[in-house]
């Protein structure tokens, strides 16, 4: 995945000092690379009978929506607090930088549906863990969590132990 990795831009000290932000917009503007990322993620789950792709605001939407389309699955957005209009379930969580609250519509997933969670990047795993808990709180079954980028040195996988985790581009 070295050719894809080269398309991701490091932005030091964004959004706060000490964080090296992985900027995926430089990958997205290369049409072939965007297609390859979505195709590779879809291939990983092609035989997993995914019913629902749950994607995390906001960069998760960029990859989650075409993945849902390719897997012929529903698309469900998980959003930051206060954005969703109908009744929600909520979960507070810790970020690599700060804390936040995620929300999902309470009727977004049916009991027993097979759910794939998608985000652009796995850092400490707090965001993904909170999302898995939201999905399970309404009866969804998490079949996997998929990320374009994984910051392995932050050990996000440990926070997601028990769940199958897939990532395309790894930083050790
Ligand atoms: P975490 O909960 O620590 O796994 O953080 C993951 C979420 O924060 C994802 O939605 C990422 O988009 C974002 N994020 C965290 N760290 C970074 C980073 N270094 N570069 C880009 N996005 C990040």
């Amino acid at each position: 995945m070295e050719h894809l990795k080269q398309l991701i831009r490091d932005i030091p000290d964004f959004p706060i000092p000490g964080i090296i932000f992985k900027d995926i917009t430089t990958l997205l503007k290369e049409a072939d690379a965007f297609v390859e990322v979505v195709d590779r993620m879809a291939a990983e789950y092609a035989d997993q009978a995914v019913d629902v792709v749950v994607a995390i605001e906001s960069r998760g939407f960029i990859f989650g929506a075409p993945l849902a389309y390719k897997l012929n699955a529903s698309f469900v957005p998980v959003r930051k607090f206060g954005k969703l209009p109908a009744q929600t379930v909520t979960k507070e969580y810790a970020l690599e930088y700060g804390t936040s609250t995620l929300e999902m519509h309470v009727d977004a997933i049916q009991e027993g549906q097979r759910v794939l969670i998608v985000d652009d990047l796995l850092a400490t795993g707090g965001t993904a863990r909170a999302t898995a808990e939201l999905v399970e709180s309404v009866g969804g079954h998490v079949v996997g969590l998929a990320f374009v980028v994984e910051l392995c040195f932050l050990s996000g996988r440990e926070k997601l132990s028990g769940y199958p985790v897939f990532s395309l581009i790894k930083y050790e």
Side-chain angles (χ1 to χ4, degrees), residues 20-22 59 95-97 119-121 123-127 151:
I20 299 174
F21 191 86
K22 297 295 179 191
R59 289 181 298 277
L95 270 179
E96 190 183 358
Y97 35 85
D119 203 358
D120 67 324
L121 183 141
T124 66
T127 309
L151 305 184

Side-chain angles (χ1 to χ4, degrees), residues 33-170:
F34 186 30
V35 167
E36 183 181 346
V37 166
V38 174
D39 283 354
R40 283 186 185 274
M41 291 175 98
E44 193 65 27
Y45 296 96
D47 58 359
Q48 301 251 350
V50 173
D51 298 310
V52 183
V53 171
V54 167
I56 305 169
E57 182 175 0
S58 61
R59 289 181 298 277
F61 296 171
I62 296 167
F63 301 98
L67 209 48
Y69 180 88
K70 285 208 74 133
L71 294 172
N72 198 25
S74 318
F75 178 83
V76 168
V78 160
R79 300 209 61 184
K80 306 277 165 57
F81 185 78
K83 303 282 188 183
L84 287 170
Q87 193 190 342
T88 61
V89 282
T90 69
K91 185 86 196 165
E92 196 180 325
Y93 68 108
L95 270 179
E96 190 183 358
Y97 35 85
T99 68
S100 194
T101 301
L102 291 178
E103 276 190 307
M104 185 177 71
H105 277 146
V106 71
D107 60 358
I109 295 169
Q110 308 303 309
E111 181 89 33
Q113 278 191 310
R114 294 172 60 79
V115 176
L116 173 63
I117 294 170
V118 176
D119 203 358
D120 67 324
L121 183 141
L122 174 61
T124 66
T127 309
R129 172 105 222 167
T131 302
E133 287 171 7
L134 278 179
V135 167
E136 288 171 346
S137 76
V138 297
H141 172 62
V142 178
V143 296
L145 297 101
F147 305 89
V148 181
V149 179
E150 178 176 4
L151 305 184
C152 303
F153 53 89
L154 292 174
S155 306
R157 273 179 197 254
E158 284 172 23
K159 203 172 270 172
L160 299 173
S161 66
Y163 298 107
V165 173
F166 171 78
S167 69
L168 214 46
I169 303 166
K170 295 175 172 59

